[in-house]
Amino acid sequence: MKNKKHLAIIDTPFNVDYSNGNISGKSVINPIKKIKDLQNIFEDKQAFKNIDGDKIIYEVQAILPVEEGREGGLFYGKTIIHPGKVGNEYFMTKGHFHQKVDRAEFYWGIEGEGMLLLMDKNRNTWAEKMHPGSLHYINGYIAHRTVNTGTTKLSFGACWPSDAGHNYQEIMDNGFSARLKEIDGKPQLVSTQQ
Ligand code: M6P
Ligand code: ZN
């Protein structure tokens, strides 16, 4: 039959549970980052060694409807960072610039309390508070890392262009210019610059 698709009503391909941001649907990928995947991310090397390498620090669910690197598409994700610290530094993501460095991204808070750490090309670093309902526009050229400063899991959503890519190397080599640590019982941004 001609024009069959034109009149079709089809099943919803993806669903989001708004109580916790969980994504379901075909081809949801679920990468997991354990402490052993996060070498050289945290400052306190001794505290890092004392944690079981298989301990899960964060988990991502993502829908990549087009091939990564292709121009014009959008990706959608949810990240859960478990609560905890390495020494006095909170659990956090690796953090990245985009490989196509001008590409932007939205993040939004779903569950828990945290901070979005942002750093520009001149290594100026600042943090935005994340909480359920917080919305964050991350401009191109800005490195971004999320930190769970609370005692429960931090969940947040993300939407980014399919050709953005991840540049982890810059952060692996030089880190951010500040770290989020618990000092006197509260989160504080501590400069790493001399
Ligand atoms: C968000 C998005 C993803 C990213 C993930 C984890 O869901 O920004 O692109 O992969 O957070 O962050 P990272 O890649 O820095 O570990
Ligand atoms: Zn990104």
Side-chain angles (χ1 to χ4, degrees):
M1 216 207 309
K2 271 188 194 166
N3 297 328
K4 199 176 164 195
K5 211 172 172 189
H6 179 61
L7 290 175
I9 295 171
I10 60 170
D11 285 341
T12 309
F14 308 108
N15 288 283
V16 175
D17 178 342
Y18 271 94
S19 67
N20 58 16
N22 268 347
I23 306 167
S24 57
K26 65 177 170 106
S27 70
V28 176
I29 61 162
N30 186 205
I32 289 176
K33 293 281 184 273
K34 298 181 175 178
I35 198 90
K36 66 184 176 196
D37 303 318
L38 303 174
Q39 305 284 342
N40 297 323
I41 297 289
F42 296 96
E43 188 175 52
D44 187 334
K45 304 295 171 215
Q46 195 52 52
F48 182 84
K49 266 194 216 156
N50 292 341
I51 301 174
D52 175 5
D54 283 322
K55 184 172 174 59
I56 295 174
I57 307 302
Y58 64 101
E59 307 173 41
V60 180
Q61 299 171 354
I63 304 169
L64 315 183
V66 299
E67 188 191 335
E68 183 145 33
R70 185 182 308 173
E71 202 177 314
L74 288 172
F75 292 160
Y76 183 97
K78 177 205 171 181
T79 302
I80 301 164
I81 309 178
H82 295 282
K85 283 174 287 173
V86 177
N88 61 2
E89 188 174 15
Y90 299 102
F91 286 177
M92 59 187 177
T93 58
K94 287 169 78 169
H96 57 272
F97 283 96
H98 288 152
Q99 214 158 352
K100 272 200 181 158
V101 72
D102 66 348
R103 296 309 196 244
E105 183 161 4
F106 268 116
Y107 277 2
W108 57 95
I110 300 172
E111 292 178 293
E113 301 292 322
M115 301 265 186
L116 169 58
L117 207 57
L118 299 160
M119 182 176 74
D120 69 16
K121 285 194 293 186
N122 298 322
R123 299 188 55 73
N124 296 301
T125 296
W126 65 103
E128 291 181 10
K129 287 184 181 172
M130 299 185 91
H131 50 82
S134 65
L135 182 62
H136 312 268
Y137 178 70
I138 304 164
N139 222 333
Y141 303 96
I142 303 292
H144 36 292
R145 159 180 280 168
T146 44
V147 185
N148 186 348
T149 57
T151 53
T152 58
K153 62 187 175 185
L154 172 72
S155 307
F156 66 93
C159 186
W160 67 103
S162 52
D163 63 349
H166 297 86
N167 171 6
Y168 292 110
Q169 202 56 50
E170 177 65 26
I171 302 301
M172 296 296 278
D173 293 347
N174 303 312
F176 278 65
S177 62
R179 294 178 176 276
L180 264 164
K181 295 182 177 176
E182 184 180 86
I183 298 170
D184 298 331
K186 54 177 196 283
Q188 297 197 31
L189 209 46
V190 179
S191 173
T192 59
Q193 311 287 96
Q194 309 305 333

